[in-house]
Structure formats: structure tokens, C-alpha cells
Amino acid sequence: MLAKRIIPVMLVRGNLLVKGERFAGDRVVGAALNASRIHASRSVDELCILDIGATKEGRGPDLNMIKELATNTFIPVSVGGGIRTLDQIRALLFSGADKIVIGHEFKRRPEFVKEATKKFGSQAIIVSIDWPRQGIDDAKRAVELGAGEILFNNTERDGTMCGLDIDAIKSICEVPVPVIACGGCSSYKDMESAFNVGASAVGVGALFQFDDATPLGAAKFLKSRGIETRI
Amino acid sequence: MINRCSMCLYPDTKPDLVFTDGVCSACRSFANRPMIDWQSRSGQLLELLERADGKVLVPSSGGKDSTYIAIRLKELGADVTAVTATTCHLTPTGRHNIDNLAKHVRTIEVTPNMTVRAKLNRLALHLVGDISWPEHASIFSVPFRVAAQTGHTLIMYGENPQAEYGGPVGSEKAKEMTRRWVSEFGGFLGLRADDFVGMEGITERDMADYKLPSADELDGIESHFLGAYEQWDSHRNAQVSIKHGMKTLKYPPYQSAYWTYENLDNAQTGLHDYFGWLKYGYARMTAQLSVDIRHGLISREDALEKLKDEGAFPWESAGVSLTDVLKRINMTEQELSECVEKYKNKSIHVS
């Protein structure tokens, strides 16, 4: 069995690290570079950086920021937020991103995912599914179009640390590609439950920012439960 | 580009600050003070003390706020024990003020292994651009550990920082400092004590000094903000503390500070604040002047004028030279300037 992944999810705006709740009200909680450096020092498997200002402000991703964040870490980085063109993807990959997260543009123009995976390969493209507005049918469609991975984003639980919606995650995990379960993670136990219903990774935001939990602590706990992680 | 609160000087880059119609949450919380029934709050404070059999632990550096809290609670009849977590680089003024506390109340001073501390200072500066990470961790962990060991059930901290300096909606109302509060607002920047284990020979035992006791050990221990029970006023605190023997400086401890009686006890604070300026475009002067604007001590225009010195490099802090500060943590000037470059927020500082 493939080792499971624990992925810190960083929401950024400019060079600042922000945290929202239920996808609204972004609160500045620190400097983005700080957070990426902490995660790099923890040798996490992967880091997910989502520029939440990009789509809202009608701009593309901030390449300089991504370059700065990605060059300061030696871990794989996936980047999302405001991505609408193949040129933007190319520029991001050259700036140090390893994978690209497509969200809004998949809703607007699903075939963009096909164009992107044809050009850069499925392994480079993650499609974000905003639960509950989107569901399993959308996830399946994204996979048909070539998405190599699904980021399950529970917008109602985002930033709340009230627990992952295990039933919803289970339903999304029907897709034949890896699923990153994200939104509401409240404990190591929560991660275990998500892995047990088929998630291949858990995305963690607030828990690592506001609680004593660390990726290493998670890895130790999961190991004691018979779940291998890459940390 | 920084946008500032239309009433005080707080910038929109300040972590945890929320703006509504151009006014920051700190100003809103201050404006809301007259709506609070302070008489009933002071009754609640007496109830708290009574519930703890009058025994209270006051985390204290000997500075203006904690000296005031110790004196104030003693006046209210409490049996006060002041507990000091030694700062990262104690200054002569800081030493004097800790000793001064012992002239008024019982004191306990806890000094962790300072060789480990120096490593943590250097590592934290590299990792998160915050030399003071271990100090911030220990001002929470030490009092809670001491309370668990000495059987104290009440700890009294100072102001609720979210009420005085702004925080997410609702956080300004907190009276009690919970475990979750410490993790969220303790200034750890997402970095946890366990993250240091294994670096430069640092062990789990070394880091225990920087962790809160377990939930079981904390059972029955309450920690509150005095600022939730009586109106907080830094200047009043300073006057009361000076009257009781606290020493201050004749000038601010470093160029980017404005008050002469804050941050006198740790020679690293100038550097700490300078990194805040690099990351968020503001430092201590903004915070202190903003308090003075709210209290009507200075106009916003005059205060804004003074801010031009805020980015000054901290060659000296509370009478201690930067060379001494760096020597103690085994860091070269070259290493420091690399950190400065690394943490300079390019969207705020052009050059």
C-alpha cells in the first residue's frame, strides 16, 4: 500500500498567511514565508499553497511570491488560485510549483482541465472540488478530463476544526485517482478516519496553525494505528 | 503598500486585526469600553479570588504591567506569588525590576537551560524570523507548570491582547485564557516546541520547559485576564509600578520604540521588533502610539509624523549592544543580515 500523505494547506494573500472560516473572512495570521519554512523543516511530504485573493481580485497567481516560497523549500509544492490559462501553469511550474490546483476555472470551463493535463500531464494537475456545491459527479468528470488528483474541499467546514466529514470523503473516494481530504480536520484521529475510508492524503490548515498538533505528531499517531505516512 | 486604520495607526498587515469601515478592531473594542458594566466585572474579580482562597499566581517580568497586577491584587487582599520566566537576554534594568518585585510579594524565578535557550533564539530567527519564540512560549508554559506544581488554581495575566490590540471578531470578549487560546494567540507562528527536538542536540526534555502541562495536570487551574475585570491603562500601570520602585529608562529602549517604560528587560526585543517591521511593516512605535491616540494623549497626525524612525535598525536595546546580543546566541552579523534579507516582505519594503 502506498504511504499516506499529510499536506499542510496554506492560504495566502500577497506575502501574508491568512486563515478563513467556511471560505470567508480571511484573517491575517502571519507571514507566508514563515509557515513554508516551518513545514520545510518538518520535512512534510507536500505543501499546498492556495492564493485566495487571486480569483476574487481577478488576477492570476503571484509568481514572485510562489518563486520565493518554493525556492525556500525542498518539498513538493502544489499551487492554486486564479489559474485560467496554460501560460500561467507553465510559468508556475517554472517558478518552482510541482503541481497545479484548478478550481474556479474547472467550474467555468471544464475542458481547461483536459487541455492542461494534455500539455503538462495528469500528475501535474489537481482539481479542487468544493463540497457541497460540487460532488462526486463533478469529481468523476474531472478525472475523465484527466485530473491526476482530487482536492476535496469542504467549504462548510473550512477553518472550523470541527471534524472532517468522513461520509462525504468516502463518497468522493470512489474516483480512481488519489483524493486529498480537506476542510475541518480536528485531530490525528480524524486523519485516521479519512485514511480508513480511502483518502490518500489529508489537507490540514487551521489545526497546524492554531493547535499543538504537528505533522510529526500525526505521523507518530498514525503509525501506532498501523498507517504508514511518508514523514 | 500599507493601509492604516482611520482612527489609530495600525496597518492592515497586522496579524489577526480585523477592519470594519476602515476602523480596526482594537479601536472598536476601545470605543466599546463604556458599554461594559465595570462595577459588575470588579465583583466578578473578587469572586474569582475568593474561589481560589485568595491565592493567585501572577506571571511577572517585573515590568510595568505585571508589577501593577501584583500590587493591585495584593491591595485587594490576595496572597500573591509572582512567577518570572527569565527573559532570553536579561538586561540590568530587568534584573533590578525582578528584585524589586520581591520587595512587595513572594517571588519564584524559573530560568531554563540558557545554552538551549540561545540555540532556540538562533534557530527561531532562522526558521520563523522571530528571535523571541522561546520567550513567548515560556511566559505561558512556566506559570502553568508552576501553578500545577504549587497547587495554585488561579493565574492572573494582564490585558486581553485581542481587546487591546485587536483580534478576530469575538476574541476581544474573552476573560479566560484557555489552552486553545495559548495555541492560537500565544505568538508561536505555527511553530511548536516538538519541532525543535533533534535540532543541534535539543532533546524532548529540553523542550518540556516550553510546553504547557497536559490537560489533566491543568485540570482545575484557571487563567484570566485582569483587563477583562478592570479598564486597562498602560500609563497608569507604569505610574503605579514606578511608585513601587520599578526602574525605567530616560529614553526608549531602542530607536523604533516610543515609550520609555516598556520592553526594558530583554536585550533581544529591539531585534524582535525589527523583524516584525520587516515582515509586516510596523513595529513597537505603531503599537504604542496607537494606544496613546486612543487614550487621547496625541493626535493621529502628530503620531504619524513620529513613525518615520520606526524602521531604525536596533544597534542597541535597553543599553545592550547588538554585538553582545548576537554573541550570546552565537550568531554572526553576516548570518543576521541573511535573515534580514530572507524575512523582508518585498510587497511592503521596496529596497
Side-chain angles (χ1 to χ4, degrees), chain A residues 78-178:
Chain A
S78 47
V79 177
I83 296 160
R84 293 182 308 271
T85 67
L86 297 179
D87 282 345
Q88 283 174 331
I89 296 181
R90 184 180 300 108
L92 278 169
L93 294 173
F94 274 116
S95 297
D98 299 275
K99 296 187 211 175
I100 302 299
V101 183
I102 298 173
H104 191 258
E105 199 59 11
F106 167 66
K107 284 183 213 164
R108 211 179 65 89
R109 203 169 63 83
E111 62 276 21
F112 177 59
V113 172
K114 193 172 186 178
E115 295 161 16
T117 51
K118 224 171 135 189
K119 187 97 187 160
F120 304 103
S122 288
Q123 86 295 333
I125 304 297
I126 301 172
V127 169
S128 164
I129 297 294
D130 288 351
W131 182 276
R133 270 169 297 165
Q134 292 173 290
I136 179 66
D137 292 340
D138 299 284
K140 283 181 176 160
R141 175 97 181 98
V143 175
E144 278 165 22
L145 292 165
E149 214 167 333
I150 295 294
L151 173 64
F152 166 88
N153 239 331
N154 191 326
T155 58
E156 286 181 345
R157 298 195 182 194
D158 163 63
T160 62
M161 288 192 273
C162 69
L164 291 165
D165 184 343
I166 300 301
D167 289 340
I169 291 166
K170 190 174 177 184
S171 72
I172 290 288
C173 288
E174 274 180 38
V175 293
V177 299

Side-chain angles (χ1 to χ4, degrees), chain A residues 16, chain B residues 1-4 11-13 280 345-350:
Chain A
L16 300 170
Chain B
M1 174 66 188
I2 288 179
N3 297 308
R4 293 183 189 276
D12 61 354
T13 49
Y280 307 116
N345 186 334
K346 312 281 191 302
S347 67
I348 298 174
H349 307 287
V350 185

Side-chain angles (χ1 to χ4, degrees), chain A residues 13 15-16 27-31 33-34 37-38 41-42 68 72 161 208-214 220, chain B residues 13 15-16 126-129 168 179-180 183-185 189-192 195 279-280 342-343 345-347:
Chain A
R13 201 185 62 213
N15 290 329
L16 300 170
R27 155 183 170 196
V28 176
V29 291
L33 211 51
N34 272 359
R37 221 165 250 137
I38 293 172
S41 79
R42 288 166 167 171
E68 200 173 336
N72 279 300
M161 288 192 273
F208 287 157
Q209 184 66 32
F210 297 142
D211 194 270
D212 290 340
T214 60
K220 274 187 189 161
Chain B
T13 49
D16 278 348
H126 277 292
L127 273 173
V128 289
R179 196 186 174 82
R180 164 71 197 269
S183 292
E184 183 164 350
F185 297 114
L189 309 166
L191 185 64
R192 303 296 170 197
D195 287 322
K279 290 179 196 169
Y280 307 116
K342 203 158 71 172
Y343 285 101
N345 186 334
K346 312 281 191 302
S347 67

